[in-house]
Amino acid sequence: MNESGVLILAAGKGTRMRSAYPKVLHNILDKPLIDYVVRTALCCTGRPEDVAVLVGFGGDIVEEHIKNTFPGVKILWQHEQKGTGHAVNSAREWWENFENLIVLNGDLPLMRGVSLKNFVNASKNYDCFITSFITDNPKAYGRVIRDGSGIHVIEFKDASPEEKNINEVNAGCYAFKVESLKRVIGLLTNNNAQDEYYLTDVLALMNSEKLKVNAFIMPEIEMQGVNNLRELCDVNNEMRMRILNKHLDNGVHIMDLSSVFIGPDVEIGSDVVIMPNVHIWANSKIGENSLIGTGSVINNSVIGDYVNIVAYAVIENSELKDHSKAGPFVYIREGSCLEKNAFAGKFVELKKSHIGENSKVPHLSYMGDATLGRDVNIGAGSITCNYDGEHKNKTFIGDNCFVGSDTMFVAPVELENDSATAAGSVITKNIPENSLGVGRSRQVNIAGWFKSKHKKGD
Ligand code: UD1
Ligand code: MG
């Protein structure tokens, strides 16, 4: 028999969110809130097969998300949502195989793994051990009643005015001895204000069976439930500040804590400066001593050391190597790469393009499906015509090439090393090494034309 299983309750609709979307898939920063809860659970058990997520409302998309994100974590179904007690009972076949069952509400993203571990370690002597917190604003949480009959919980909607004044509330994470839970879970009724089978009623049932029940007081800030969009914003902000503080502690210079957003999986080296209004998401990694200029959005990208992202850069799934420079106003996407010392400047878009060492695309250019060697200079306004309406075609530009302004590369096309294009050229044929490609009509000057057309007073 395995020791402890963690069951995450994520089947509820989340009616108070006023959304057609399942509550647990709403994002905290760039990740669904269920991800934080599953991570906390994994932190405690270490084994995905000991964690199960109970899905129901919108269960197909929750299931797909969990399977893709946390392989090995078990999916269980609660087809009708009749309350948290009914939810736990629906998963009985799974948890019967454990000695202890930990139940986590799926809407508790701020709980830290280490806090869950402490709670579980303290739970060993109890048949039912619950988390609680003391608060000045007990909102609609279940109230923890400590009286002669032992600890139990009264739901807000069933509480008397005196009980509503109680400031210790149920936080929504529980540890049960499976043998004891089996004795009482079938006895739950839905005889209450919400016609639901409450998990919290298990406490009173255990008390009457003389089983041992107790509560463990947790830090309030970690136990905030998400039941509506306001609480989602509050939790989002708390998580955002937690992450920003971690980076500050690691020597990342964040200029404005109120406008910077960094996802939970981002890594940043020391002496990086992050200007206001910057967002950094997914598995982005930033080396040391780089500058992330104002208004920049970096998604799932790798930024090296001493990189200068001047301002207003959008960088997605790409890599900027050491000492490269980007922006202002640049869009770098889909697997592009700036090699060391390379530069993509003002109003430049790169898509699936590789810009070699010391090469520059300084102004108003589109490089799509292009490979540039080293020491290339691309004149202003040059673009790759990579799409012929059916296929995306490649452009190769060799080392040391000099591309005149406003060159159109009609791909597929190649410039060999040490070649050049004349400004305004439409390049449809390969250019051999050490050659100039001229692809434009010759200029003709028509003498006397100007004054014959523009008479004085016209
Ligand atoms: C619950 C507790 C309350 C506690 C609070 C802490 C009960 C009856 N009440 O209230 O005492 O103070 O959490 O945050 O448990 N769910 C299912 N199936 C269902 C119903 C709910 O899986 O049939 C899931 C939800 O998806 C959610 C979790 O259980 O993740 C808790 O449900 P929720 O409706 O948020 O309960 P609260 O009203 O917050
Ligand atoms: Mg809740």
Side-chain angles (χ1 to χ4, degrees):
M1 183 178 274
N2 293 328
E3 212 192 320
S4 297
V6 185
L7 175 66
I8 298 171
L9 305 184
K13 180 170 191 291
T15 312
R16 290 161 280 178
M17 299 293 279
R18 308 216 178 259
S19 164
Y21 209 55
K23 172 164 83 173
V24 294
L25 291 187
H26 283 263
N27 270 14
I28 303 285
L29 299 169
D30 62 344
K31 298 217 156 12
L33 77 85
I34 189 73
D35 288 21
Y36 298 86
V37 185
V38 177
R39 284 179 184 200
T40 303
L42 288 170
C43 201
C44 181
T45 71
R47 287 160 38 104
E49 55 276 32
D50 292 343
V51 176
V53 178
L54 185 77
V55 303
F57 178 80
D60 290 335
I61 46 175
V62 182
E63 176 171 11
E64 197 190 332
H65 171 75
I66 297 290
K67 282 190 167 156
N68 291 336
T69 318
F70 300 102
V73 166
K74 182 97 184 140
I75 297 290
L76 305 170
W77 277 81
Q78 181 196 21
H79 291 286
E80 269 184 285
Q81 290 79 54
K82 296 183 185 171
T84 49
H86 178 262
V88 171
N89 208 16
S90 320
R92 187 174 176 143
E93 264 184 42
W94 179 75
W95 53 256
E96 270 179 342
N97 300 317
F98 295 94
E99 259 173 63
N100 305 298
L101 173 66
I102 292 132
V103 176
L104 267 177
N105 281 359
D107 61 356
L108 278 182
L110 292 173
M111 189 180 187
R112 294 179 194 265
V114 53
S115 304
L116 179 60
K117 271 189 192 163
N118 291 341
F119 164 72
V120 171
N121 288 338
S123 72
K124 299 278 187 271
N125 295 323
Y126 299 99
D127 296 284
C128 170
F129 201 45
I130 70 163
T131 51
S132 70
F133 62 90
I134 314 282
T135 175
D136 291 339
N137 182 11
K139 296 198 265 190
Y141 290 106
R143 303 308 200 249
V144 174
I145 316 283
R146 293 174 183 264
D147 60 18
S149 59
I151 285 185
H152 65 284
V153 173
I154 297 281
E155 288 306 309
F156 175 77
K157 288 193 176 152
D158 301 287
S160 65
E162 297 76 45
E163 287 166 336
K164 283 183 180 152
N165 285 332
I166 291 172
N167 68 351
E168 182 178 0
V169 296
N170 170 30
C173 164
Y174 316 78
F176 299 102
K177 285 220 169 19
V178 163
E179 281 313 308
S180 312
L181 183 61
K182 278 202 234 166
R183 275 170 64 183
V184 297
I185 188 123
L187 305 175
L188 289 174
T189 65
N190 62 351
N191 195 3
N192 53 50
Q194 299 183 82
D195 296 325
E196 284 186 3
Y197 296 85
Y198 296 155
L199 181 60
T200 44
D201 282 351
V202 158
L203 278 72
L205 291 169
M206 287 206 176
N207 287 330
S208 51
E209 296 273 320
K210 302 275 180 278
L211 294 167
K212 284 178 80 181
V213 177
N214 210 345
F216 188 76
I217 298 178
M218 304 283 283
E220 176 178 5
I221 195 64
E222 289 189 35
M223 304 312 280
Q224 297 300 303
V226 175
N227 299 296
N228 54 45
L229 290 177
R230 182 166 299 282
E231 288 173 349
L232 185 75
C233 284
D234 290 344
V235 166
N236 190 63
N237 207 36
E238 176 60 28
M239 185 62 77
R240 189 175 72 82
M241 287 310 297
R242 195 186 273 184
I243 292 167
L244 294 183
N245 281 320
K246 176 187 81 179
H247 291 297
L248 288 172
D249 289 344
N250 289 342
V252 178
H253 189 153
I254 301 169
M255 298 293 284
D256 174 24
L257 292 176
S258 71
S259 69
V260 170
F261 289 73
I262 300 177
D265 295 335
V266 171
E267 291 172 27
I268 309 180
S270 60
D271 289 311
V272 165
V273 176
I274 298 183
M275 300 302 268
N277 293 308
V278 164
H279 300 185
I280 310 175
W281 301 125
N283 294 315
S284 295
K285 280 193 180 57
I286 298 175
E288 296 182 351
N289 295 294
S290 290
L291 170 79
I292 315 296
T294 193
S296 296
V297 179
I298 299 175
N299 191 11
N300 209 34
S301 294
V302 178
I303 312 293
D305 299 339
Y306 295 96
V307 173
N308 181 2
I309 297 174
V310 181
Y312 303 104
V314 177
I315 300 169
E316 294 169 351
N317 299 308
S318 291
E319 182 171 8
L320 274 60
K321 294 199 181 166
D322 299 352
H323 297 278
S324 59
K325 182 176 169 186
F329 304 105
V330 65
Y331 186 19
I332 299 177
R333 63 191 181 98
E334 286 186 57
S336 292
C337 173
L338 288 185
E339 285 289 346
K340 282 187 184 165
N341 252 332
F343 173 44
K346 286 72 65 185
F347 307 103
V348 167
E349 179 177 349
L350 304 182
K351 189 220 69 169
K352 287 189 183 161
S353 286
H354 187 271
I355 311 300
E357 243 178 272
N358 298 323
S359 291
K360 295 180 179 59
V361 190
H363 335 263
L364 298 152
S365 284
Y366 171 60
M367 295 284 117
D369 304 293
T371 302
L372 279 60
R374 41 189 309 155
D375 297 301
V376 170
N377 191 79
I378 303 286
S382 296
I383 67 165
T384 54
C385 311
N386 60 326
Y387 186 45
D388 58 16
E390 267 181 60
H391 303 107
K392 301 287 166 72
N393 301 300
K394 295 198 157 84
T395 300
F396 291 93
I397 301 176
D399 296 343
N400 302 314
C401 287
F402 182 88
V403 169
S405 292
D406 202 19
T407 298
M408 308 286 116
F409 296 99
V410 182
V413 73
E414 178 171 0
L415 272 69
E416 292 182 13
N417 293 345
D418 305 302
S419 63
T421 69
S425 287
V426 178
I427 301 297
T428 53
K429 288 189 290 203
N430 294 349
I431 306 178
E433 208 170 310
N434 192 23
S435 308
L436 171 71
V438 186
R440 65 185 186 211
S441 49
R442 280 181 183 282
Q443 180 173 335
V444 176
N445 292 339
I446 303 170
W449 181 91
F450 187 85
K451 285 190 179 161
S452 73
K453 280 282 172 204
H454 295 268
K455 294 195 183 103
K456 251 194 180 161
D458 271 5

